[in-house]
Amino acid sequence: MKSLTSRRATAIVVAIAAGSLALTGCSENKGSSSGKDSKKDQKEAATQSKAVTYGDAAASTGPAEEVAGAKSGGTIQVYQEAGLSHLDPGQIYVSDAGQVANLLYRGLTNFEEDGKGNVSVVGDLATDSGKSSDGGKTWTFTLKDGIKDENGVEITSADIRHSVERLYAEFIFDGPTYLQTWLSGAKYREALPDGGFGKKHLPDSVLETPDDKTVVFHFDTARPDLPQTLAMPGYSVVTEKSDTKAKYDKAPVSTGPYKISEYKVGKTLKLVKNENWDPKTDSVRHQYVDGFNFDFGVTESTQTKRLISDQGAAKSAIQFTGSVDATQIQDVIDDPAVNKRTIKGYQPYVMTLTFNLDRVKNKAVRDAVTYAINSKSLIAGEGGAYGGDVAPNLFAPTLPGYEAKYDPYGRLKTPSGNIEKAKELLKDVPAAEKKLVFAYGNTEQGQKRKVAIEDALSKVGIEVVSKEIDSASYYEQIGKLKNPYDMYVSGWGQDWPSPGTVVTPIYDGDQVADGAPNYSHINDPKVQELIKKALSQEPTEAAATWREAQHYILEEINPSAPLWYTKQFQLYGSNIGGARYSTESSYIDVTRLFLKS
């Protein structure tokens, strides 16, 4: 277990925007599970929220500290229900692909944790977490020596430049946009329409590479969160020589400890050791096992049955982003031998029923749905108290500025829905507006959510027309501006510990675009004004502005009905060693796993 109190104690610079744990967020691809005492769980979520430190060169030097009892060899079997929507790092903004990225890719920085809730940002490809100057407007990174991709291409500053510039290309549409917008504004694609694949590049006044080892970012305002931003999978390096543009999504090139040996989309994925990964350059990852074999299409109920039985290949298997099946939770917790093979923790995700504001224009309808919805029924499908807690608002308990008692729609008082209030709001609404198209993923959980939504809304006279979507491309489908749906369940978690990484991506009018996570298409001048104000303030000052923004969004517009806060409850086989909960990914920590025999 890596300790920040030994030679890592030199990680000394506290992140300005710290105050919660570094939970890289993004879209949540499913529900999850944990402990049954909700108040206790929320207290633990708050204590998880420790200041994030920025590490220096000593903290960023490999190899990673050995995991107690670790052995080498063997292959881990991975069970996963939904396939992966993307493998191109620039397209990764959903949690399952983010987990895979931990094994395949490296960026300038990365998160390091000690298993006790302490998280720091360290240099990954860079020698440290970055050096800021000019009041935080300029950040300089120096690359480590001798790091290569799986093709043997040595990574230079030109590759970092290329990795940033390719994000401006049209074929990159599903990943994070923080860095691009910070460098070039909301209409960043106009600054580099060919994504750096032509003769034009970003000017040195924005992105500078004075030599092969140095990368300098220049911003028009202080960006204290940059080291955390660059640790997101979406900002991993893609070497210029290995880039195949749009084709890269199906056959990416590794810079991490593992590489892809075989990929059958939606069916299987096989990872083997990347011989060009050098552990001496990596302070976070290990390469204990020979590889990982992913089987997609394995339902959570099947995953759970196999792992409870712990026979044959299941002994060396893990749930990747899946959770213990809700109907089998009692079988797990009642058996001490099985229960000890679990990891648990609060996740950063708030699950909401998001309205397409281009189609559901009547706020009375949106409010009625919000009052009518049965969070208790939805959570039951996720595992009850092990699956989540009722969400009264849009900020998770893991987020700085969380208000446990802020509950404008009375979700905590009426978790099963306020039918009378909903009916009252709908009494003068035309019949045509009471017919809503609901999109859901084609998984077991998606089916449960569909039933719960239909049941709750039918009680208040709303006709739900349910449309099934392939779960692997779920967020891609609802992320289309011209999608044919009125509402859909979506989940969002902070990208790092700031309310700005919740409000800005999903409620910013500048993010209304195909592939952007503003799934409701909200574009409100008051919200824009508050976002702009908060981003110009210091975190403590900004907290009040973010709080005002949330209140305005939820009460005056209501683009997303809060449903539940998610928890994680995962199971693994008895031959798996090194398993622990990752506060950064909110899943099993895949960077340190080994097989006991």
Side-chain angles (χ1 to χ4, degrees), residues 31 38 84 89 91-92 150 221-222 254 272 291-292 320 335 344 365 449 460 467 489 527 597:
S38 297
L84 302 170
Q91 298 273 61
I92 292 177
E150 69 173 81
T221 189
S254 169
V272 296
F292 294 79
F320 199 60
D335 187 331
K344 306 176 181 74
V365 174
R449 293 171 185 178
V460 298
K467 300 286 187 181
V489 173
V527 176
S597 61

Side-chain angles (χ1 to χ4, degrees), residues 417-566:
N418 187 335
I419 303 302
E420 293 310 310
K421 179 69 175 176
K423 284 181 176 178
E424 181 187 328
L425 286 165
L426 291 170
K427 65 183 179 183
D428 296 322
V429 173
E433 293 183 33
K434 291 190 280 189
K435 183 176 182 179
L436 299 174
V437 180
F438 171 65
Y440 67 98
N442 63 340
T443 62
E444 287 182 330
Q445 270 176 322
Q447 185 67 31
K448 290 175 186 175
R449 293 171 185 178
K450 165 187 172 289
V451 171
I453 298 288
E454 289 175 344
D455 180 61
L457 298 189
S458 67
K459 291 177 181 176
V460 298
I462 291 176
E463 181 186 351
V464 178
V465 180
S466 297
K467 300 286 187 181
E468 185 178 279
I469 299 179
D470 175 56
S471 57
S473 62
Y474 181 81
Y475 280 99
E476 191 175 328
Q477 296 303 314
I478 68 171
K480 292 178 179 177
L481 282 182
K482 298 296 182 183
N483 77 66
Y485 315 114
D486 295 315
M487 55 187 184
Y488 19 78
V489 173
S490 65
W492 191 266
Q494 64 214 47
D495 289 313
W496 61 86
S498 165
T501 68
V502 172
V503 178
T504 304
I506 50 179
Y507 303 114
D508 184 349
D510 288 337
Q511 301 289 335
V512 178
D514 280 333
N518 184 336
Y519 302 118
S520 68
H521 313 153
I522 178 176
N523 188 357
D524 183 88
K526 174 76 170 176
V527 176
Q528 298 303 96
E529 179 189 317
L530 290 169
I531 288 173
K532 188 176 180 181
K533 180 182 176 183
L535 291 175
S536 68
Q537 297 172 314
E538 287 300 306
T540 48
E541 195 181 11
T545 308
W546 291 126
R547 185 164 55 248
E548 183 184 351
Q550 185 198 194
H551 287 219
Y552 178 83
I553 290 166
L554 199 48
E555 295 170 39
E556 302 301 324
I557 302 168
N558 190 16
S560 304
L563 300 175
W564 75 92
Y565 301 133
T566 69

Side-chain angles (χ1 to χ4, degrees), residues 158-169:
D159 294 307
I160 305 301
R161 173 183 283 278
H162 175 73
S163 299
V164 173
E165 291 181 343
R166 74 191 296 272
L167 301 174
Y168 289 62

Side-chain angles (χ1 to χ4, degrees), residues 16-78:
I16 296 174
S20 177
L21 68 151
L23 288 159
T24 52
C26 56
S27 299
E28 210 278 342
N29 218 12
K30 43 158 301 304
S32 339
S33 322
S34 176
K36 56 185 178 180
D37 187 332
S38 297
K39 287 183 180 177
K40 182 183 175 187
D41 284 343
Q42 291 200 15
K43 272 189 181 177
E44 287 176 358
T47 58
Q48 275 181 308
S49 306
K50 299 178 181 179
V52 178
T53 56
Y54 285 179
D56 66 4
S60 307
T61 301
E65 193 170 312
E66 290 296 315
V67 177
K71 297 178 180 179
S72 295
T75 299
I76 290 177
Q77 182 68 43
V78 181

Side-chain angles (χ1 to χ4, degrees), residues 116 167 172 190 239 273 292 351 406 437 467 475 514 531 540 592 596:
K116 300 174 184 176
L167 301 174
I172 300 291
E190 294 177 6
T239 57
K273 285 186 176 182
F292 294 79
M351 304 303 292
Y406 175 54
V437 180
K467 300 286 187 181
Y475 280 99
D514 280 333
I531 288 173
T540 48
R592 62 199 308 275
K596 297 175 184 176

